[in-house]
């Protein structure tokens, strides 16, 4: 571990509700980093914002959801339908276009509408949309509340799907490298801990439901267990081939204003094999960090 | 006269410096950095998130 672990650096979180405010917070250095949509991170770099993707938030954890009694049974049935996406800069938007390519459907065959993620389930329930694609826990919410069903989990249509990535300001990478390393090691350790035991996932659901997601713990427990590989927290290194595919698709459909090379927006030098990381959770400043 | 001008310049420089700290840095940031340097407070890194995976 770095010297900062011995000092006990405090990593605190700040909740945002929209992406433009996140961008401003990065520029003004109000935050050191953020979990952000992968294509949005690329576009911010294309816009000249000095940030780098240093790690992933998770793998998979997205679903295409339709009404419980909907006649939609496969992707082809979405032709002519209205589907909500979280943002045009979301990888969920890229996935919809990737699927349309695979199914030989023109891009205008589905009416994709940007809707804030928390509003996806209510829009489906109200009949304003025919389906939605979103990150958890909002895919599971329609299932748990009994009015929706998952048409596809991303693990089944784009395995190891990337949604949110961890980006850090370039000046922190240049000047406070040990701090960034400490944070990445912490995320890696948390992910390993989550994926090694279902009891750990249930504990995490209790804590994050109250403090971060502001959702019922039962919903997060459902997300983390049904099925168990619905969302994964290991294999979080940013891989060039994954990002190249996202970048090319994003550029093709006009989400990115220009092609961005992997090295321009990503720095994978903080990734360390888990067996090289000090695995002593008791050393974390749990009391302070929980405040 | 020279003394008055000197004191005036010093006061002006002090005023500009304090205004700069107030407007561009913020006293909270300064106090936090000082507290981290002296070991009274843990270093803090703020990470943003939206409550969706």
């Amino acid at each position: 571990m770095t010297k900062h672990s011995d000092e006990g650096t405090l990593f605190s979180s700040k909740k945002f509700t929209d992406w433009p405010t996140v961008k401003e917070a990065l520029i003004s250095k109000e935050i050191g980093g953020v979990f952000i949509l992968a294509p949005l991170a690329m576009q911010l770099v294309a816009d000249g914002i000095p940030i780098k993707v240093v790690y992933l938030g998770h793998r998979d954890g997205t679903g295409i959801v339709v009404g419980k009694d909907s006649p939609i049974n496969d992707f082809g049935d979405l032709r002519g339908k209205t589907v909500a996406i979280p943002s045009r800069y979301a990888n969920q938007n890229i996935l919809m276009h990737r699927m349309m390519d695979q199914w030989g459907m023109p891009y205008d065959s589905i009416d994709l509408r940007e809707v804030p993620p928390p509003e996806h389930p209510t829009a489906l329930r109200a009949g304003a949309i025919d389906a939605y694609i979103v990150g958890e826990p909002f895919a599971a919410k329609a299932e748990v509340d009994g009015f929706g069903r998952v048409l596809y989990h991303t693990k089944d249509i784009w395995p190891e799907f990337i949604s949110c990535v961890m980006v850090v300001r370039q000046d922190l990478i240049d000047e406070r490298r040990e701090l960034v390393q400490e944070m990445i090691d912490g995320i890696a350790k948390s992910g390993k801990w989550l994926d090694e035991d279902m009891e750990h996932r249930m504990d995490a659901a209790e804590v994050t439901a109250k403090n971060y997601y502001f959702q019922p713990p039962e919903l997060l427990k459902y997300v983390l267990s049904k099925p168990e590989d619905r969302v994964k927290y290991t294999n979080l290194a940013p891989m060039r081939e994954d990002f190249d595919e996202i970048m090319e698709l994003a550029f093709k459909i006009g989400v990115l204003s220009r092609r961005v090379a992997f090295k321009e927006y990503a720095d994978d030098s903080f990734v360390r094999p888990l067996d090289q990381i000090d695995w002593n959770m008791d050393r974390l400043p749990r009391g302070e960090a929980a405040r | 006269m020279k003394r008055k001008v000197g004191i005036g310049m010093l006061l002006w420089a002090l005023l500009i410096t304090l205004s700069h700290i107030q407007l561009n840095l913020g006293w909270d940031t300064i106090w936090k950095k000082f507290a981290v340097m002296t070991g009274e407070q843990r270093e803090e890194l703020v990470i943003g998130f939206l409550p969706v995976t």
Side-chain angles (χ1 to χ4, degrees), chain A residues 4 8 10 12-14 16 32-33 35 58 61 136 176 288, chain B residues 36 39 41-53:
Chain A
H4 283 272
L10 181 60
S12 59
S13 60
K14 183 175 173 65
F16 289 86
F35 286 102
H58 57 92
E136 299 292 4
R176 306 302 311 275
E288 288 281 338
Chain B
V36 169
Q41 192 176 316
R42 287 190 166 125
E43 183 150 19
E44 186 175 8
L45 183 61
V46 181
I47 303 298
F49 77 102
L50 269 83
V52 60
T53 60

Side-chain angles (χ1 to χ4, degrees), chain A residues 133-148:
Chain A
I133 178 167
V134 76
E136 299 292 4
F138 300 110
K141 185 160 179 59
E143 278 191 298
V144 169
D145 289 352
F147 62 88

Side-chain angles (χ1 to χ4, degrees), chain A residues 44-64:
Chain A
L44 288 178
V45 171
D47 288 343
I49 311 295
I51 53 167
K52 286 275 166 62
V53 174
V54 290
Y55 217 53
L56 306 186
H58 57 92
R59 292 271 189 175
D60 297 315
T62 282
I64 300 177

